[in-house]
Amino acid sequence: MAFLVLDGLTKTYGEVRAVDSLSCTVEKGEFVSLLGPSGCGKTTTLQMIAGFETPTSGRIELAGRNLASIPARQRGLGIVFQTYALFMHMTVRENVSFGLEMRKVSGRELKTRVDRALEMVHLGALADRYPRAMSGGQRQRVALARALVIEPELLLLDEPLSNLDAKLREEMQLELRRIQREAGVTTVMVTHDQSEALAMSDRVVVMNGGRLQQVDSPFDVYETPKSSFVSTFLGKSNNFAARLESTTDTGSVLTSGGITLSGPRASLLPGAAEIAIRPERIELTGPEQGIVSGTVRERIFLGAQWMLAIETAMGEFLVARRNSGNREADIGDTVHLVWAPQDLRILPAKEGARS
């Protein structure tokens, strides 16, 4: 049986449905991210799990217990807020021990558990320091230790890395994942950062407009998106309106911008569709092998790779090219693009598209 169950979870504010019939599960020990743009309902979902918001309808179960009638303070959850919410007049040790003191834990057990939590986040040597004298990454780890020391059944993270600079944020992704695995605590994190969700999660719950879009492993949600929104929200993607002409057991035939394309077997009926292909799956080739030709309109150097914007009969393609140490095609050059048919993703047409 799933450890955390969200069943038909709905939250309305007047006419606004912030969360709309959300159903998903989280297994014990799993790290799951709620991912989506601002206003998609992910934070409201986290607040309902925590008990800070009351669902309009639906059910939340944790380890077989219905949380509806349990006040937030009695749910026994560990929570790390976006702002960390540390007590600046308390030392690191005092901050971490606060939750245990509220639970009437004292003496040797309190000291042992606080020491263990501080060592887990590599802050044992800073136990007597005050938060105001610490870096953003150190404060984040204090907040994490404070949440873990109570040995919660469920850890909730509300954009815990958003206040860190880019380099420290990447380092803390690895550190936070290490700590979560070491503690073995089931974790639900809210984030709008795609790379963060992909790097840290066992599974990703993609949301938009209060609705669930897709639940999958990071690899599958990136490689096999189920909708246009998922394909474009997670990383860069080239998406074009298309028509699915036919499908057999071996593949599909499509047309887009007057160009005939081969794709993998589609689960859709012939008619209006959308195709998507990642920039890194496209190669530059000779004119005789090219699927589509175009003109380089923009060229951006990103260090490890080049990003080319190429205007074609199908529309503008973004093409990612590994930095080989040489300059890539210049602006104004004519280039020819090719990709493997299995790298094309065939998606349902956007609402309102005609077949």
Side-chain angles (χ1 to χ4, degrees), residues 253-325:
V253 177
L254 306 104
T255 54
S256 179
I259 297 170
T260 300
L261 306 169
S262 297
R265 186 177 184 277
S267 58
L268 306 175
L269 294 174
E274 184 170 328
I275 56 174
I277 186 166
R278 297 291 185 186
E280 64 270 20
R281 298 304 174 86
I282 303 171
E283 298 291 339
L284 303 186
T285 187
E288 61 281 356
Q289 288 87 30
I291 296 174
V292 62
S293 300
T295 303
V296 179
R297 298 299 186 195
E298 190 59 77
R299 182 186 63 180
I300 301 173
F301 182 59
L302 300 175
Q305 64 181 8
W306 293 88
M307 187 66 70
L308 307 177
I310 301 169
E311 190 63 40
T312 76
M314 289 173 56
E316 185 177 86
F317 275 85
L318 290 178
V319 178
R321 300 285 293 158
R322 183 180 64 86
N323 178 17
S324 62

Side-chain angles (χ1 to χ4, degrees), residues 107-127:
R108 180 173 297 178
E109 182 184 354
L110 183 145
K111 183 178 186 307
T112 298
R113 288 171 64 174
V114 170
D115 286 345
R116 185 168 61 238
L118 290 175
E119 288 305 316
M120 187 181 297
V121 299
H122 297 168
L123 288 177
L126 302 180

Side-chain angles (χ1 to χ4, degrees), residues 29-92:
E30 199 174 22
F31 192 120
V32 171
S33 289
L34 305 181
L35 174 68
S38 297
C40 74
K42 57 188 185 295
T43 297
T44 302
T45 300
L46 196 79
Q47 290 174 337
M48 286 190 285
I49 297 171
F52 302 148
E53 291 283 357
T54 302
T56 303
S57 61
R59 180 171 56 96
I60 304 174
E61 285 191 3
L62 180 63
R65 307 190 320 273
N66 188 341
L67 296 184
S69 60
I70 303 176
R73 64 182 181 277
Q74 295 177 13
R75 295 188 181 189
L77 309 182
I79 305 174
V80 177
F81 297 99
Q82 184 176 1
T83 57
Y84 312 144
L86 300 177
F87 300 114
M88 292 299 174
H89 64 287
M90 293 183 180
T91 65
V92 169

Side-chain angles (χ1 to χ4, degrees), residues 202-247:
D202 293 309
R203 286 190 301 149
V204 179
V205 177
V206 185
M207 299 177 64
N208 187 40
R211 288 183 170 271
L212 177 68
Q213 299 292 312
Q214 186 170 344
V215 183
D216 257 320
S217 69
F219 180 84
D220 288 334
V221 80
Y222 183 84
E223 291 293 339
T224 57
K226 305 299 185 188
S227 68
S228 176
F229 172 80
V230 175
S231 71
T232 54
F233 187 74
L234 279 104
K236 292 180 172 59
S237 179
N238 296 293
N239 288 51
F240 304 102
R243 177 177 174 81
L244 178 59
E245 303 293 349
S246 62
T247 293

